Amino acid sequence: SITGETVELLEPYLDMEDYNLETAKKVCGNVAGLCSWTQAMAYFYGINKEVLPLKANLVLQEGRLAAAQTELNNAQIQLDEKQMELDQVQAMYDTAMKEKQALLDDAEACRRKMSNATALIEGLGGEKLRWTASSKNFQNQIINLVGNVLLATGFLSYSGPFNQEYRNLLLQLWKKEMDNSKIPYSNDLNLTGMLVDNATVGEWNLQGLPNDDLSIQNGIIVTKASRYPLLIDPQGQGKSWIKNKERNNGLQVNS
């Protein structure tokens, strides 16, 4: 209830030199207390005059703060809801990306398989001609097998004692007889290739057998004939070859 007018009326007294607690105590203790109280109330009025607007502003700001806090809470609730929606959409996006990557991987695997299949088909297309030719060749071999075996058997049984020229003559005579008897055989028959493979011939050469056709034919007769061979071997090449060939088989040689 103190007003500015009241404080203004008190100021002349408050400005007096003897208007203080120490001087008042000398007159009366109760008066001293009253003097101190009036000074304090005047001082309080000055302070309170500055504090009241601040308190009013504080109330105003607190109201604003409460309103802002309410808006913040509402905004936070909306943010949480949107964050939940965002998390759900992100999960859907991640799932979709995984499915997309899986589809891309499957597509790439399919492309590789298609490429491999295309290459295989193209390769098989080229092989088809070779297989067709081979099949035809095998069919011819089956048809000519009887005559070829007959020529090989005659060669092993009867050609041993003769030289290369007479062996060829015998082969031509046998072919003529087979033509008369309509026995099919291969016109390009190679008896050496039919009766022995190249690897075996190479091994014989390493063991000392000469590499000419007559010597190879003699080696075939020695190894394929059912009866033991009689070697006429003035140069000793056949003897040397047989000794080397049968060294690991316990061959016994009588001088």
Side-chain angles (χ1 to χ4, degrees):
S1 62
I2 300 174
T3 64
E5 184 180 359
T6 302
V7 175
E8 185 178 352
L9 292 173
L10 282 174
E11 283 182 357
Y13 300 96
L14 296 175
D15 292 338
M16 293 181 180
E17 294 181 3
D18 57 353
Y19 194 84
N20 53 63
L21 181 63
E22 289 76 14
T23 304
K25 281 182 179 182
K26 296 176 182 180
V27 178
C28 178
N30 294 331
V31 173
L34 183 60
C35 176
S36 177
W37 180 80
T38 56
Q39 288 179 329
M41 288 301 99
Y43 180 72
F44 168 77
Y45 174 80
I47 298 300
N48 197 41
K49 185 177 180 181
E50 298 179 0
V51 170
L52 286 177
L54 296 176
K55 294 172 76 173
N57 186 53
L58 175 62
V59 174
L60 177 62
Q61 299 304 326
E62 286 179 345
R64 292 180 178 177
L65 175 61
Q69 187 64 44
T70 301
E71 293 181 359
L72 176 61
N73 293 336
N74 294 334
Q76 185 65 44
I77 293 173
Q78 294 182 2
L79 176 61
D80 294 340
E81 293 176 352
K82 297 304 179 182
Q83 185 63 45
M84 291 178 60
E85 294 178 2
L86 176 61
D87 293 340
Q88 293 175 356
V89 174
Q90 184 66 41
M92 294 173 61
Y93 172 77
D94 293 340
T95 302
M97 290 302 295
K98 290 181 180 179
E99 292 179 355
K100 176 184 176 182
Q101 188 61 43
L103 292 174
L104 290 175
D105 294 340
D106 290 343
E108 183 62 26
C110 289
R111 278 194 290 268
R112 289 197 299 269
K113 291 180 180 179
M114 289 178 61
S115 178
N116 294 336
T118 301
L120 179 60
I121 291 173
E122 291 176 354
L124 292 177
E127 289 293 319
K128 180 180 179 181
L129 298 176
R130 186 177 65 84
W131 289 345
T132 302
S134 298
S135 177
K136 185 177 181 180
N137 184 38
F138 292 151
Q139 187 65 31
N140 292 333
Q141 289 182 10
I142 293 173
I143 295 174
N144 298 328
L145 183 61
V146 173
N148 293 342
V149 170
L150 183 59
L151 290 173
T153 303
F155 169 78
L156 291 174
S157 300
Y158 300 105
S159 298
F162 307 112
N163 59 20
Q164 184 70 51
E165 182 179 356
Y166 196 76
R167 289 177 182 178
N168 292 334
L169 177 61
L170 287 176
L171 188 61
Q172 296 302 320
L173 293 174
W174 293 338
K175 288 182 178 181
K176 186 179 296 185
E177 292 294 331
M178 293 172 66
D179 289 336
N180 294 334
S181 300
K182 298 182 179 181
I183 300 175
Y185 60 90
S186 299
N187 292 323
D188 57 349
L189 177 64
N190 182 357
L191 290 175
T192 300
M194 180 179 178
L195 295 173
V196 69
D197 55 77
N198 293 330
T200 302
V201 172
E203 186 177 357
W204 289 352
N205 296 149
L206 293 176
Q207 293 166 350
L209 183 68
N211 196 29
D212 59 277
D213 291 340
L214 181 62
S215 298
I216 293 174
Q217 289 181 359
N218 291 337
I220 292 173
I221 294 173
V222 168
T223 56
K224 302 293 184 180
S226 59
R227 294 174 295 179
Y228 65 87
L230 174 64
L231 300 183
I232 300 175
D233 186 30
Q235 297 180 353
Q237 293 177 331
K239 178 181 178 182
S240 176
W241 169 62
I242 291 178
K243 290 172 65 177
N244 291 332
K245 183 177 183 300
E246 301 298 332
R247 178 181 294 114
N248 296 329
N249 297 325
L251 177 66
Q252 296 182 3
V253 180
N254 294 326
S255 301

